[in-house]
């Protein structure tokens, strides 16, 4: 009997597709992160204003924590810039020959913008 | 040098589950991975099963995962891998028949679905159907496909859903869609506009990186997608 065509997650992640494949995976993770953020935003407000209680305060503590905010900010900035890269390449296929340069450009935008903002967020958090 | 080969093994007649076996072989840095597989089969384990035919990168029979990436075993030299530990596995996303041999039928079914043949209902001219060098150059890149399936089986969209027509089928559709002598473009674009057609591509580039013929596959998919969106073949 032949083995079925099922592709296990581990085997898929071990495939050495390189930068563009990891950008695609991060795009999915950051998309889920933003869903988490929006759900968290609604739940945190609803919990505090309508329900009160310990669980709402606990949930709000996580939602407003620096770590969560740093994670969400990375999701937003990466998803936006990577999405722009994909839109540009899909709209102008002739530019696809520069796809490696586009990946470098993407990180050249994401990393400094994220680092600068994260630095400000951390400074303000430490400063109270 | 001594090379350690870790090879995916599955015998449907004796094994319930696949496993890996390790072989040590003497090799030159300029040996191809196919040479090492032949050495194992010839000298250590005659039951090892893999496809090969021309052994010169033309027939596309020996596409497999070599150190985690789809390649032709006959085109990869040991020195190109930069290690003396080589893991060899069958292509992902197609049923494994035995060891490194996969069932290619689902792949060819998608290939046939895009009508990969010349369509022209005009009466044939006395001599050949003329085409300018520029018109020929328009689809030159996609004529190079050898149907090895390295691209389609490197695509995460195909891994997730085997109904996706896949990069190879789109490449072969592109070869005729942009051929000035062909009259079947509209028909093929309609097929590829389907929910399992070109719009399943997420511009991941695994296909382009895996192609042993260095076809700009993502670009070809982008051109087909643009032709569907704009209704123009320019």
């Amino acid at each position: 009997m032949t083995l079925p065509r099922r592709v296990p997650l581990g085997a898929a992640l071990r495939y050495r597709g390189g930068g563009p494949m990891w950008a695609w995976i991060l795009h999915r993770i950051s998309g889920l992160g933003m869903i988490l953020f929006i759900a968290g935003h609604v739940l945190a407000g609803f919990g505090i204003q309508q329900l009160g209680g310990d669980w709402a305060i606990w949930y709000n503590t996580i939602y407003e924590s620096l770590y969560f905010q740093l994670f969400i900010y990375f999701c937003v900035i990466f998803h936006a810039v990577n999405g722009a890269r994909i839109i540009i390449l899909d709209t102008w296929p002739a530019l696809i020959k520069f796809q490696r340069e586009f990946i470098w450009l993407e990180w050249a935008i994401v990393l400094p913008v994220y680092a600068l903002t994260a630095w400000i967020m951390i400074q303000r958090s430490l400063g109270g | 040098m001594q090379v350690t080969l870790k090879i995916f093994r599955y015998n449907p007649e004796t094994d319930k589950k696949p496993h890996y076996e390790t072989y040590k072989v003497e090799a030159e840095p300029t040996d191809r991975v196919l040479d090492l597989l032949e050495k194992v089969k010839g000298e250590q384990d005659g039951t090892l099963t893999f496809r090969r035919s021309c052994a010169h990168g033309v027939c596309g029979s020996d596409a497999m995962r070599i150190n985690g990436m789809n390649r032709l075993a006959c085109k990869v030299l040991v020195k190109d891998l930069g290690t003396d530990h080589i893991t060899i596995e069958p292509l992902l996303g197609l049923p494994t028949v035995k060891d490194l041999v996969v069932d290619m039928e689902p792949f060819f079914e998608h290939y046939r679905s895009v009508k990969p043949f010349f369509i022209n209902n005009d009466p044939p001219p006395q001599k050949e159907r003329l085409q300018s060098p520029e018109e020929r150059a328009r689809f030159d890149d996609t004529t190079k496909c050898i149907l090895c399936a390295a691209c389609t089986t490197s695509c995460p969209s195909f891994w997730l859903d085997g109904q996706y027509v896949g990069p190879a089928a789109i490449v072969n559709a592109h070869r005729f869609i942009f051929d000035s002598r062909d009259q079947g473009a509209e028909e093929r674009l309609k097929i590829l506009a389907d929910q399992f057609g070109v719009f399943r591509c997420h511009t991941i580039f695994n296909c382009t990186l895996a192609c042993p013929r260095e076809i700009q596959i993502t670009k070809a998919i982008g051109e087909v997608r643009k032709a569907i969106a704009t209704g123009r073949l320019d």
Side-chain angles (χ1 to χ4, degrees), chain A residues 2-4 10 24 28 31 41 43 48-49 54 66 68 77 86 88-89 99 103 107-108 111-113 116 120 125 127:
Chain A
T2 58
L3 286 176
W24 173 73
R28 264 57 195 163
H41 184 68
L43 278 176
I48 288 291
Q49 288 177 20
D54 288 346
L66 177 66
F68 190 77
I77 188 76
I86 299 295
I88 290 168
L89 293 180
Q99 62 98 355
I103 289 278
W107 285 109
L111 289 179
V113 171
L116 182 66
I120 293 168
S125 171

Side-chain angles (χ1 to χ4, degrees), chain B residues 146-217:
Chain B
I146 55 173
L147 297 171
C148 65
C151 58
T152 296
T153 58
S154 72
C155 174
S157 300
F158 182 74
W159 296 340
L160 286 169
D161 192 341
Q163 294 182 85
Y164 170 41
V165 70
I170 301 170
V171 159
N172 284 280
H174 179 285
R175 181 255 171 270
F176 291 101
I177 288 169
F178 292 95
D179 185 336
S180 58
R181 302 162 298 182
D182 188 89
Q183 295 176 341
E186 201 178 324
E187 206 177 333
R188 292 190 192 92
L189 291 176
K190 204 174 165 190
I191 293 166
L192 291 172
D194 177 69
Q195 61 166 325
F196 299 113
V198 282
F199 295 103
R200 285 269 165 154
C201 169
H202 296 298
T203 325
I204 303 168
F205 286 101
N206 277 7
C207 53
T208 305
L209 299 174
C211 180
R213 306 286 292 185
E214 296 176 2
I215 300 171
Q216 294 301 306
I217 301 175

Side-chain angles (χ1 to χ4, degrees), chain B residues 110-160:
Chain B
H110 288 314
Y111 169 68
R112 288 190 294 267
S113 75
V114 299
K115 300 180 185 282
F117 43 81
F118 186 66
I119 299 172
N120 189 323
N121 296 321
D122 292 344
Q126 216 156 15
K127 289 187 178 174
E128 70 270 26
R129 295 176 197 271
L130 291 176
Q131 189 169 53
S132 71
E134 293 75 25
E135 286 170 335
R136 175 63 179 75
R138 181 68 188 85
F139 61 93
D140 183 67
D141 197 35
T142 46
T143 61
K144 296 186 291 186
C145 178
I146 55 173
L147 297 171
C148 65
C151 58
T152 296
T153 58
S154 72
C155 174
S157 300
F158 182 74
W159 296 340
L160 286 169

Side-chain angles (χ1 to χ4, degrees), chain A residues 1-5 7 11-12 14-17 20-21 24 28 85-86 89-94 96-97 99-100, chain B residues 8 10 12 18 67-70 93 95-97 154 156 158-159 162 202-206 209-210 218-219 222 225-226:
Chain A
M1 213 179 96
T2 58
L3 286 176
R5 69 169 297 279
V7 180
R14 279 200 311 277
Y15 187 85
R16 289 172 60 191
M21 180 173 143
W24 173 73
R28 264 57 195 163
R85 176 182 70 92
I86 299 295
L89 293 180
D90 281 352
T91 311
W92 294 283
I96 281 175
K97 62 184 171 192
Q99 62 98 355
R100 281 176 199 276
Chain B
F8 180 98
Y10 173 68
N67 278 0
M69 192 179 178
N70 287 358
T96 301
V97 178
S154 72
F158 182 74
W159 296 340
H202 296 298
T203 325
I204 303 168
F205 286 101
N206 277 7
L209 299 174
T218 314
K219 183 168 178 251
R225 199 153 40 186
K226 199 171 175 187

